[in-house]
Amino acid sequence: MSVNIKPLSDRVLVEPAAAETTTASGIIIPDTAKEKPQRGTVVAVGNGKKDFTMTVKVGDTVLYGKYAGTDLKLEGKDYLIMREDDILAII
């Protein structure tokens, strides 16, 4: 998948995973009660800073904070752009 956006510096473009639509017991969750996903796939990575090399790479599945990043809609898809420091782990 290629997007026409290149993050600058230590920024990362993440495509959030789909929100859960049902619980483990089968109850359907309405749109108003869905949790914001905290997992996603890295789509694009910046070049890093002078003394900071990027740890994540395109295709990595990452965990990030609930309120991390800035929402972005590009070509009809939702993305988050955030600093690499906002990423908690690579899974």
Side-chain angles (χ1 to χ4, degrees):
M1 154 180 27
S2 79
V3 290
N4 296 331
I5 189 168
K6 175 69 175 164
L8 299 176
S9 191
D10 63 339
R11 301 227 176 17
V12 177
L13 186 69
V14 176
E15 182 178 359
E20 297 289 326
T21 57
T22 59
T23 64
S25 60
I27 298 172
I28 297 173
I29 302 170
D31 288 340
T32 56
K34 288 183 183 171
E35 292 272 332
K36 183 178 175 184
Q38 292 178 279
R39 183 178 66 169
T41 304
V42 176
V43 177
V45 178
N47 293 329
K49 292 186 176 178
K50 182 179 177 183
D51 296 326
F52 180 80
T53 57
M54 298 297 279
T55 307
V56 297
K57 59 186 180 308
V58 174
D60 285 347
T61 301
V62 294
L63 296 175
Y64 49 86
K66 188 177 231 176
Y67 303 106
T70 302
D71 293 326
L72 176 70
K73 191 165 198 101
L74 184 66
E75 298 173 0
K77 291 184 115 182
D78 292 324
Y79 296 100
L80 284 170
I81 191 160
M82 64 182 75
R83 292 188 178 275
E84 189 185 49
D85 292 343
D86 293 336
I87 295 175
L88 306 174
I90 300 171
I91 53 173

